[in-house]
Structure formats: structure tokens, C-alpha cells
Amino acid sequence: MARAFLVVMDSVGIGGAADADTFFNGEVPDTGSNTVGHIAQACAQGLAEDGRSGPLNVPNLVALGLGAAVEQSSGLRIEGLDGPVTGTWGAASELSRGKDTPSGHWELAGLPVPWDWHYFPDVTNSFPPELVAQLAAFAGTDGILGNCHAPGTAIIEALGAQHIKTGFPICYTSADSVLQIAAHEEHFGLDRLLDLCARMAPIAHEMKVGRVIARPFVGDEVAGFIRTPNRRDFAIAPPAPVLSNWVQDSGGHVYAVGKIGDIFSMSGFDELRKGPDSKLMDDLGDLVETAKDGSLTFANFVEFDSLYGHRRDVSGYARALEWFDVEIGKLVGKLRAGDIMVLTADHGNDPTWVGTDHTREQVPVLVAGLGAGKLGAIGFRDVATLVAGHLGVAVPG
């Protein structure tokens, strides 16, 4: 019986979004951004040599159609992305007015976002006074730190020592619709941080802020501060059933791998596996071996985005793509007859672009298990239709 594996390569965009000129990194529009294309160009030009060398080496993704999808979306033919195609491939565009995790994932699961997200302004004191007061009250402190737009690693490095001294949580945001709260796992407490985020989530969601994200970290001023894998996203719940609900309601078993459960508030999932990407790849491999007939496995690999895209680390992003290519190639070879594995993305995060925010791009849709074929230019929500059709699950009107 058929099984489906839907794997989101977080931020692995392929450029060419028609409306990119209406999305910005600072004052610069995203027009011309191309995560995979620009990484491949940098590699081919010898500009991504930290921990790796030469043209981008992703033969398994190229065989599934990555290079063809890049060429379709942006017209680029690049060394490292050329080669014969044996998979079914396409390039997908998004309807939702966002370049963020919930928008991308919800629409990939069949539900374009039906509202405009609330974004906090990029000014001194980004949060309204009443929200700051509520944060401090729930935290049991006399105030908060941060209250601004900032990269997560930079703000804990800048304010970590002050956080330990005062006990105030570090609260910040970005170009996404998020309220992020960072705190030290030992000095502030992990459970206390998660409780604070859980209490703030309904307030933020009422404002149409997509996520409250707990960002725990450890370390000290001398050794430095590092974030831990205990991140948790408290996301607004989708307002209508999505792919995972469709499969579950039809009697199929649904597995969540990575932050997928958080993104959908665990609606429509029977089992959840979390951890760093290296563990998640092992978990995905286990499910390729053991997932039930008729099941959906919905996975997200976040470190392309969190470790390399936002930090504008071209070499690191290239290394991550090459690691993923090797590992996913092993799993594609283990698929059973009747299985499909769909590799896609939720937005872009071009490490060659200005700023540190996501970029508005098309995304690849690469399908193993259907033979060679072309999907062409499709929409994000067509991914849900493809998976549902393969599993014999009805798509609500």
C-alpha cells in the first residue's frame, strides 16, 4: 500500500518569485534573490571553500530535478546543478502574503494563509508597552531585554550576561511574524521559559502574530553563549483542516519529524520526533523502514535556515546541502514500491543577499517514486494535492 514522505528543506528556495519586488530585506527588495542558484554560483567560482571545495556537489538532488527547477524558475544553468534527471520535478509559487515558516508550510499542506500576519516594526522598542508589561508580569520580572529586531545568535551574545545578572528574558523579533524569547536554561530555567512562551502565545495569536518561539541557550560570558536544541515554537493553529488532518481522518497514520508538530499545533499528527537535523535524518531513515502502510511522514530540516541562511554563511549552507544530498540519496534507494518522497521548501534564505531575513522565492518540488516527469510551474498547495492523490485521500473542496 502507498506511503508518502513529504520533506521540507527549510529555506531552500530557487529564486524567481514573481512578486519578490514587494518583499524586502531592510530597504532592498528580494528581486533577484536565489538561494540555491547563488550558492551554486559561489561554489563554482571558488567562493565557498570553508570546509568544502569546488562546484556544489549534490548529484542526488540534481537527478531528482533540482537543477532543472532552478533553470525553470530563474533561467540559470550553473555548474554543479547540471546532469540527467530521473525524478519528477517542478517549481512552486506561493499565494500567501508571507515568506515565513507557517505561511509556507500551511500552503504546502493545502491551506493558503487567509489573513495578513502582524509584524512588529523595526524600530527602537519594537513591542507595544502593553505587550512588554504582560511579558514582564508572566516572567515575574521588572522588565525585559532586547525589545527590537535582531538575529538570535547575536542578541544572546550581546545580552546574555545582562540576562544572567538581571533575570530579565531577552525578547526580540525579525521580519517574520514572530515573538522570540531567549533565556538561559540554568539561570532562568527551561521549564520557566516554555511556560512563559505558552502563556504569551494566546495573546500574540490574537494579534495574528504567527509564532511565539522559545529560544533556550547555555554558556557564560567567558566561553560564549550557544542555543540548545530545546527550541519550541508555539504557533497559531491553522483555521481549517490541512493535509495531515485529511490523511488522519481517512484512517492513515501521520508522523511529524522536526518542528512540523509545532508549526501545526500538533493537529493531525499521531507521532512526533524532534532533535537536530542529524538525528532527524536518522528518524526519517527509520520511518522509511517502518512507517505504516497508507501513512504520511511530514518532515522539516531547519538547519539550512537557522544555522546558515540567517547567518549568511555560504560555505556552511553548501556543506549542509551536500550532507543532505548524500543522506537523502541513501533513503531514496530504500523506498518501497508504491512509496513517494517529495522534497520541497517553504521559502528562501539566500546567504548571498543583504540583511539576515528570509527571501521571497519559488521552491523546488522534487518527487522520487514517480519516475521521470515534469510538474512545471505549480502552486505550493499543489504539493498537498499530489500527496493526497497518491495516498487516495480526498481533498476537501
Side-chain angles (χ1 to χ4, degrees):
M1 187 175 179
R3 302 183 303 170
F5 301 86
L6 176 54
V7 181
V8 178
M9 304 176 291
D10 204 297
S11 86
V12 181
I14 54 174
D19 58 357
D21 61 332
T22 66
F23 293 81
F24 292 82
N25 265 266
E27 297 182 355
V28 178
D30 287 342
T31 308
S33 60
N34 190 328
T35 301
V36 173
H38 289 162
I39 291 169
Q41 286 180 328
C43 291
Q45 294 165 8
L47 301 176
E49 299 288 302
D50 184 7
R52 60 162 311 282
S53 186
L56 186 66
N57 185 25
V58 287
N60 294 302
L61 293 175
V62 167
L64 289 174
L66 180 61
V70 169
E71 184 175 357
Q72 176 177 299
S73 67
S74 57
L76 296 177
R77 301 186 69 179
I78 307 165
E79 184 181 4
L81 295 180
D82 46 353
V85 178
T86 58
T88 297
W89 61 273
S93 298
E94 186 175 8
L95 289 175
S96 304
R97 288 295 300 168
K99 52 175 181 175
D100 55 84
T101 294
S103 295
H105 283 78
W106 287 14
E107 193 166 327
L108 289 169
L111 180 67
V113 177
W115 54 63
D116 290 332
W117 297 110
H118 176 78
Y119 300 95
F120 295 109
D122 188 2
V123 296
T124 303
N125 297 327
S126 296
F127 305 126
E130 58 272 19
L131 188 68
V132 173
Q134 193 65 76
L135 276 162
F138 284 159
T141 59
D142 293 330
I144 66 170
L145 301 175
N147 196 359
C148 61
H149 279 232
T153 52
I155 200 167
I156 64 170
E157 194 63 36
L159 298 178
Q162 189 177 353
H163 162 71
I164 292 173
K165 181 178 179 180
T166 64
F168 292 5
I170 302 171
C171 305
Y172 61 104
T173 187
S174 71
D176 290 344
S177 180
V178 292
L179 166 60
Q180 305 199 69
I181 307 176
H184 200 285
E185 287 195 357
E186 298 165 5
H187 293 278
F188 190 90
L190 177 58
D191 289 342
R192 183 181 170 196
L193 172 61
L194 296 178
D195 178 70
L196 171 59
C197 292
R199 297 176 72 182
M200 285 303 303
I203 297 170
H205 295 166
E206 183 67 25
M207 300 169 64
K208 290 297 186 283
V209 174
R211 289 176 292 164
V212 176
I213 306 178
R215 290 288 198 175
F217 64 93
V218 294
D220 55 47
E221 190 173 10
V222 176
F225 299 102
I226 58 170
R227 297 194 295 199
T228 76
N230 294 320
R231 162 184 171 159
R232 183 172 173 188
D233 293 39
F234 295 81
I236 191 169
V242 296
L243 175 63
S244 57
N245 303 112
W246 309 343
V247 175
Q248 198 176 60
D249 292 346
S250 73
H253 202 80
V254 186
Y255 305 89
V257 178
K259 66 178 184 177
I260 291 295
D262 290 344
I263 295 168
F264 293 95
S265 299
M266 279 306 293
S267 176
F269 295 97
D270 297 292
E271 296 184 32
L272 172 64
R273 306 188 185 196
K274 297 190 73 174
D277 279 8
S278 57
K279 175 186 178 297
L280 297 182
M281 188 62 77
D282 291 339
D283 290 333
L284 182 59
D286 178 62
L287 289 169
V288 168
E289 298 279 359
T290 65
K292 297 179 180 180
D293 288 343
S295 66
L296 167 66
T297 297
F298 198 166
N300 171 283
F301 288 84
V302 72
E303 291 176 7
F304 302 109
D305 184 61
S306 63
L307 296 186
Y308 308 112
H310 286 299
R311 300 183 191 185
R312 296 301 188 249
D313 180 352
V314 180
S315 293
Y317 209 130
R319 292 196 308 271
L321 285 170
E322 291 171 340
W323 167 81
F324 183 87
D325 183 83
V326 170
E327 298 302 320
I328 211 70
K330 298 174 185 175
L331 301 190
V332 166
K334 295 180 179 179
L335 294 174
R336 302 174 187 169
D339 289 348
I340 62 168
M341 179 175 287
V342 182
L343 306 179
T344 187
D346 52 345
H347 50 72
N349 200 343
D350 187 342
T352 73
W353 210 243
V354 299
T356 60
D357 299 327
H358 296 154
T359 43
R360 177 74 166 186
E361 302 180 39
Q362 292 184 54
V363 301
V365 181
L366 315 176
V367 190
L370 294 182
K374 181 178 179 180
L375 299 170
I378 60 175
F380 276 35
R381 59 183 172 180
D382 292 321
V383 173
T385 303
L386 185 156
V387 172
H390 179 75
L391 293 175
V393 172
V395 177

